[in-house]
Amino acid sequence: MGIKDTPAEWRVTATATPFTGNKTSVRTDDVVMPDGSTVQRDYQVHPGSVAVLALDDTGRVLVLKQYRHPVRQKLWEIPAGLLDIPGENPLTAAQRELYEEAHVKAEDWRVLTDVYTTPGGCDEAVRIFLARGISEIEGERFEVSEEEADMEFARVPLDELVRGALAGELHNNCLVVGALSLAAALTVGLDTLRPADAVWPARPFEA
């Protein structure tokens, strides 16, 4: 018997937004529990994100290394970014991020997996795409700044990413989930993956 997550919404009697930032905010809800008691739940409100596991013809994954201040580490990651435009098609956003961060385009796109990064404290939803048939884009690179100006790039065999994830050497959520998901998908065939325009209830979009 298969299992799956299901929609549910417990009653909220009051809500407040004690902090609003540039891209995200913090919300406090008074939530009614099944026993009738009311508790407060604080969580980050997030627009959502996309990430791209770009696989080349030799089975290597395009990765980048970027400084992440909250954890004080430079992490190996896959190209990713925020869903900045409400209702934007996540595929469009993913293609933009692949271009801006890696100066690469892809011919074949599939949905690899959808995840909530930290559902106990944030409503961020991420769609991770598998991109194949990748090639460099002609012309000048997109101008980057801040942390992105210091990025390093590499193409790493999938097996090495899986090994690093299981060894506790790689920690970025999208990289770890993406690599392990692709390894699993390869055992049953990539044709079983959902199309790039598959519905995404967590972040509905216009086709």
Side-chain angles (χ1 to χ4, degrees):
M1 181 176 65
I3 62 170
K4 64 179 181 180
D5 300 332
T6 55
E9 188 167 350
W10 291 358
R11 187 162 65 93
V12 174
T13 58
T15 187
T17 305
F19 171 79
T20 300
N22 186 33
K23 298 291 185 180
T24 67
S25 61
V26 173
R27 183 175 297 163
T28 299
D29 287 344
D30 292 347
V31 185
V32 179
M33 298 288 105
D35 64 0
S37 62
T38 299
V39 300
Q40 285 194 330
R41 291 290 178 259
D42 302 318
Y43 59 99
Q44 182 184 22
V45 179
H46 194 285
S49 307
V50 291
V52 185
L53 195 149
L55 186 69
D56 71 16
D57 294 337
T58 66
R60 298 176 303 169
V61 176
L62 191 158
V63 293
L64 52 92
K65 197 173 191 180
Q66 184 172 351
Y67 176 66
R68 294 301 188 183
H69 186 71
V71 295
R72 306 301 198 272
Q73 292 193 43
K74 295 183 77 171
L75 301 179
W76 284 106
E77 306 179 352
I78 56 178
L82 297 175
L83 287 168
D84 292 313
I85 304 171
E88 182 181 24
N89 190 311
L91 175 60
T92 301
Q95 291 170 333
R96 180 180 65 246
E97 292 298 332
L98 188 60
Y99 156 65
E100 291 181 358
E101 293 194 348
H103 203 64
V104 165
K105 61 182 178 180
E107 297 298 324
D108 184 80
W109 292 81
R110 302 289 180 93
V111 174
L112 188 54
T113 191
D114 299 325
V115 295
Y116 291 113
T117 53
T118 50
C122 180
D123 70 351
E124 181 184 14
V126 181
R127 169 157 282 187
I128 304 176
F129 289 92
L130 171 65
R132 293 180 292 169
I134 64 174
S135 60
E136 297 288 331
I137 295 176
E138 296 180 359
E140 296 183 2
R141 297 184 67 94
F142 180 80
E143 185 175 348
V144 296
S145 61
E146 300 172 354
E147 290 92 343
E148 292 183 350
D150 189 49
M151 289 191 301
E152 303 172 43
F153 296 89
R155 294 194 182 192
V156 180
L158 176 63
D159 289 348
E160 177 62 16
L161 296 180
V162 171
R163 186 208 63 77
L166 298 179
E169 299 169 355
L170 300 172
H171 305 89
N172 175 262
N173 185 294
C174 292
L175 172 60
V176 171
V177 171
L180 296 179
S181 294
L182 178 56
L186 286 169
T187 66
V188 295
L190 297 183
D191 289 339
T192 62
L193 293 175
R194 288 170 291 161
D197 61 352
V199 296
W200 190 16
R203 291 295 184 274
F205 60 91
E206 298 178 5

